[in-house]
Amino acid sequence: GDSMKNNLLSVCFWICAGIGFNLCFAAAYGKKVGMDWCVGFLLEWVLSIDNLFVFHVIFKAYQTPAHLQHKALFCGILGGM
């Protein structure tokens, strides 16, 4: 549906933005520092996907109603900050 298309476009946009920033970063600070930044970006991306999986497992285990999941995520992110 439309939301899946919008989500994919959003992911593609942010990946392209990260790649663009990485290219500017590498041009300004050198290839090795640019590669270090790229590895950090990819690591953070993978860890965020891992977090989504963990949240999914927790919500399933505790049978969290769908209408309360947003509130739980918001409070968790706020508490993490």
Side-chain angles (χ1 to χ4, degrees):
D2 286 335
S3 74
M4 179 62 105
K5 182 180 176 183
N6 288 339
N7 290 340
L8 288 174
L9 286 173
S10 179
V11 168
C12 289
F13 170 79
W14 286 111
I15 289 171
C16 289
I19 291 169
F21 181 80
N22 185 222
L23 291 173
C24 293
F25 197 81
Y29 297 105
K31 186 177 178 180
K32 178 171 179 348
V33 176
M35 186 58 74
D36 289 345
W37 188 92
C38 185
V39 169
F41 178 82
L42 292 174
L43 180 64
E44 287 293 330
W45 189 46
V46 170
L47 289 174
S48 70
I49 292 170
D50 176 56
N51 286 342
L52 290 175
F53 175 73
V54 170
F55 282 123
H56 175 73
V57 169
I58 291 170
F59 288 157
K60 288 293 181 188
Y62 289 103
Q63 299 175 351
T64 307
H67 71 279
L68 294 177
Q69 290 177 4
H70 181 267
K71 185 176 182 179
L73 286 171
F74 180 77
C75 291
I77 291 169
L78 195 62
M81 291 171 55

